[in-house]
Amino acid sequence: MSERVAVRKTYKLFIGGKFPRSESGRSYLVQDSNVSLASRKDARDAVVAARAAVKGWAGATAYNRGQILYRVAEMLEGRRDQFVALGASAQEVDAAIDRWVWYAGWSDKLPQVYGGANPVAGPYFNLSAPEPTGVVAVVAPESPALLGLVSVIAPAIVTGNTVVVAASPAAPLAAVTLAEVLATSDLPGGVVNILTGRLSETVPTLAAHMDVNAIDLTGVADAELAAELEVKAAENLKRVLRPAPADHDWFADPGLARMTTLLETKTVWHPKGV
């Protein structure tokens, strides 16, 4: 009797709420699984999907966005053992679940903390309110794969942005498995799009894309590549979050900086008594 050959699982990209193969048909081997190798065309398709989702997601109530992020935490809790089997520690998975809950709680509170009435000399109301930047490209950190990924996605989307995530090529399984969690939650298609493969192929395309409003370079370890991406981002004045230091503690309190950096402040004047 001949020895049986195991059928490898093939992980696809996550674009527009669906799981397409890379248009190039390429993949690479990670832990006995095939992982899609995204192309520049896939990156452009992901931006199109993210842009199409902006209006509905930014237009949803903050309370509703918080509910959806909490639902993601619920779904992740249900697949806790699967992430541990992929190599994440139980402590990391629990921290990732808690982080979704933490950001869900900020959804309807951040506008009160970050916005407000401004004192002006004159008979006017002067009110400032935060609004989402739009489409954000994100380079996920390599380690800790799951917690780092959640820590860059959640603060971007909780305020109404949509994201295109370039997962770490060295640790893509956490990203593609998180995509399965997102697809089975209440998150609308296109709010989060995940690309796997070489950063050198997809991220320059995202940095230079004129329909991307901000880029988070957290996971870029190469200083020369980070500088090149900043130059490309400057062409349409993208907001840039620079790479995280190598000793960054992902388990620490994340604070508000990641949320507020990806917001625009809209100020409205209105005469009093009218």
Side-chain angles (χ1 to χ4, degrees):
M1 183 176 178
S2 60
E3 184 178 348
R4 181 178 178 276
V5 178
V7 177
R8 293 173 180 160
K9 180 171 181 176
T10 298
Y11 289 98
K12 303 173 187 177
L13 308 176
F14 185 53
I15 299 175
K18 300 177 181 179
F19 291 93
R21 298 180 185 275
S22 170
E23 61 84 28
S24 67
R26 301 172 302 169
S27 64
Y28 65 111
L29 188 63
V30 180
Q31 296 181 20
D32 293 325
S33 297
N34 297 317
V35 178
S36 290
L37 195 63
S39 67
R40 292 185 292 272
K41 173 65 164 53
D42 294 319
R44 293 193 295 270
D45 289 345
V47 174
V48 171
R51 176 57 63 189
V54 167
K55 184 177 181 181
W57 184 241
T61 65
Y63 179 73
N64 183 234
R65 288 198 297 268
Q67 286 181 308
I68 291 173
L69 264 66
Y70 189 84
R71 177 61 177 164
V72 175
E74 289 180 336
M75 299 303 293
L76 183 54
E77 181 84 52
R79 299 181 68 163
R80 182 178 182 276
D81 293 343
Q82 182 179 1
F83 282 93
V84 172
L86 288 173
S89 68
Q91 179 190 15
E92 181 189 350
V93 180
D94 289 345
I97 295 168
D98 293 346
R99 189 135 301 172
W100 279 114
V101 175
W102 191 84
Y103 278 113
W106 270 106
S107 181
D108 58 357
K109 300 174 184 65
L110 189 65
Q112 302 172 60
V113 173
Y114 195 57
N118 306 309
V120 295
Y124 304 100
F125 291 111
N126 183 267
L127 306 173
S128 292
E131 293 189 346
T133 295
V135 176
V136 180
V138 178
V139 184
E142 179 179 336
S143 179
L146 176 61
L147 179 58
L149 186 67
V150 172
S151 297
V152 293
I153 292 177
I157 67 172
V158 70
T159 54
N161 297 300
T162 61
V163 298
V164 177
V165 183
S168 168
L173 296 189
V176 291
T177 307
L178 180 62
E180 295 175 355
V181 170
L182 298 175
T184 53
S185 70
D186 299 324
L187 193 72
V191 173
V192 176
N193 305 274
I194 298 177
L195 305 173
T196 50
R198 303 185 189 101
L199 299 183
S200 59
E201 187 166 353
T202 56
V203 180
T205 297
L206 296 173
H209 202 297
M210 301 303 284
D211 209 21
V212 173
N213 304 107
I215 186 165
D216 180 352
L217 302 178
T218 291
V220 179
D222 184 334
E224 290 188 9
L225 176 59
E228 174 192 337
L229 296 173
E230 286 194 44
V231 171
K232 291 180 180 294
E235 290 198 32
N236 72 329
L237 303 179
K238 291 180 180 65
R239 291 196 174 202
V240 176
L241 277 75
R242 289 185 165 153
D247 61 351
H248 181 76
D249 183 4
W250 290 102
F251 288 88
D253 185 330
L256 305 184
R258 286 190 173 275
M259 289 187 285
T260 57
T261 301
L262 298 174
L263 289 171
E264 305 285 347
T265 300
K266 182 176 183 179
T267 300
V268 178
W269 292 73
H270 192 280
K272 293 181 179 178
V274 178

